[in-house]
Amino acid sequence: MDRSFDVCVIGAGLWGSAAARHLSQNPGMKVCLIGPEEPKKEDYPNAEVLGSHYDEGRITRETDGDSIWAVLAQRSIERYHHLEKITGVTFYSEVGCMTTGPKGSHYLSAIEENCKKLNIDFLNCSQYDLRSLFPYLKSSPSNGYLFTRKRSGYISPRKLITAQKTAAHLQGCEIINDTVTVVSRTSEGGQRSVCITTKNGGEVYTNRILLCTGAFTNFHGLLEEELKLDVTVESEMVVKPEVSGKELAKLKDMPVMISFTGVLPDVEDFYLLPPIQYPNGKFYLKLGHHKSFKKKFSTLKEVKDWFIQGGDEEIGEYLLHLIHHFIEDFEETSVECDAAVTTGTPSGYPYCGMVTPNIGVLVGGNGYGAKSSDEIGRMGAMMIKNGRWNHDLPEEKFKPRFKRNSARTSKL
């Protein structure tokens, strides 16, 4: 089998699978996508990499207080239904999104401004409107409530990745379910000048590499020391109370919710998803956080240990209390917790750029990368195809930064 390609995408998560799909749309371009499949929980200790996309629910919405993230989301959401149609994989549930925060707050005002700029229909809800629409949600007279019905709700990360991989495969992309262990130069210049070795002993030759390796980018020797990216890897966790019976029926039309208000001590913001069915057949709400309870990780062991232990039980109990604070007479059947990590950049935007003539990076979701993954993947695909920036958003917003400010050249 010919294992020689024009571009190899390393990392088969949300961004990597999207980049592979967009790259493989180019006639005559040989593309491969390399990344391990989701391991079973009991196999986490032996996994070289783990992913935060092992999940069934992530919020998606066009509304955002930041215009760039709003554009990335809008373009991605516009392509959801087409991707579902061509692959037969359903991953998007349009249930609407309710955003709440103190009346007159900067964030709510920025969201409203971006909604008007991007022609997004929205409703400013009073307490009466909220009780009429969703009678089980508690409200506060000091908060504002902004609701969007269309092009907002949640996606299944697992199913979205399946759809992206399916589309990429149909377009000729080769998918290798393995972990990259070594990236090395094979010759001076010319085509196929980089050799990729995988955990199972395979070798792949390519001209260019796009790293979509998230929190693990700096940990596996994929980049030389002077090219290690300036990113922070931080903990995040979610609590998932199981709902069934009358509780499930009560919440059947629930939207996703985002709150930017300190409703309880130590909680700056949180997000809440409606009942979603998981692979075990049960339905769970999902509540998580972005800014509170963060732990920074600097080693591979720390990241893996966080995934393996499933987060912090005390944080999980506190997050569960939030659900009771926002839903009238809520009753859970059982409770589970999951751990994840976020990869942050100083700019708050993804890194998308070439770090050597052969290697490009697409890293740094800052906790907002799932909903916008298709357009971010497209951005990375256009960049690596040409070996330079090739997108209508401003390049300076996405330029990679490095931990060291010394030489930024590579032997590759």
Side-chain angles (χ1 to χ4, degrees), residues 14 83 91 155-165 370 373:
L14 287 160
L83 183 55
F91 57 82
I155 55 174
S156 163
R158 285 188 178 108
K159 294 184 179 71
L160 175 51
I161 289 171
T162 298
Q164 297 283 21
K165 284 183 171 182
S373 57

Side-chain angles (χ1 to χ4, degrees), residues 17-31:
S17 61
R21 175 172 81 88
H22 286 286
L23 279 166
S24 57
Q25 289 175 341
N26 293 283
M29 177 174 284
K30 293 192 65 178
V31 181

Side-chain angles (χ1 to χ4, degrees), residues 85-97:
K85 183 178 179 180
I86 64 175
T87 63
V89 180
T90 302
F91 57 82
Y92 171 46
S93 297
E94 192 175 64
V95 299
C97 177

Side-chain angles (χ1 to χ4, degrees), residues 3 14 20 49 52 64-65 79 89 105 120 181 187 223 227 229 241 256-257 263 272 278 281 344 406:
R3 288 297 178 99
L14 287 160
V49 296
S52 298
D64 201 289
R79 293 193 284 266
V89 180
S105 63
I120 299 168
T181 55
S187 63
L223 293 171
L227 295 173
L229 298 177
V256 300
M257 290 186 64
V263 294
L272 178 62
Y278 276 71
S406 56

Side-chain angles (χ1 to χ4, degrees), residues 15-16 19 68-69 72 209-215 217-218 223 227-233 343-355 359-367 369 373 375-381 383-384 389 391 394-405 408:
W15 292 8
I68 288 198
W69 278 112
L72 292 171
I209 293 171
L210 180 63
L211 296 180
C212 302
T213 39
T217 303
N218 285 341
L223 293 171
L227 295 173
K228 293 292 177 68
L229 298 177
D230 182 9
V231 294
T232 57
V233 179
T343 307
T345 63
S347 66
Y349 301 118
Y351 287 151
C352 181
M354 301 298 296
V355 296
I359 298 178
V361 297
L362 190 65
V363 173
N366 295 276
S373 57
E375 180 64 14
I376 293 171
R378 176 177 169 269
M379 178 189 293
M383 182 270 299
I384 198 68
W389 184 255
H391 196 272
E395 179 182 7
E396 62 270 16
K397 298 289 187 181
F398 303 95
K399 280 189 175 180
R401 303 183 192 180
F402 303 89
K403 286 189 177 294
R404 294 186 177 183
N405 292 321
R408 295 181 181 177

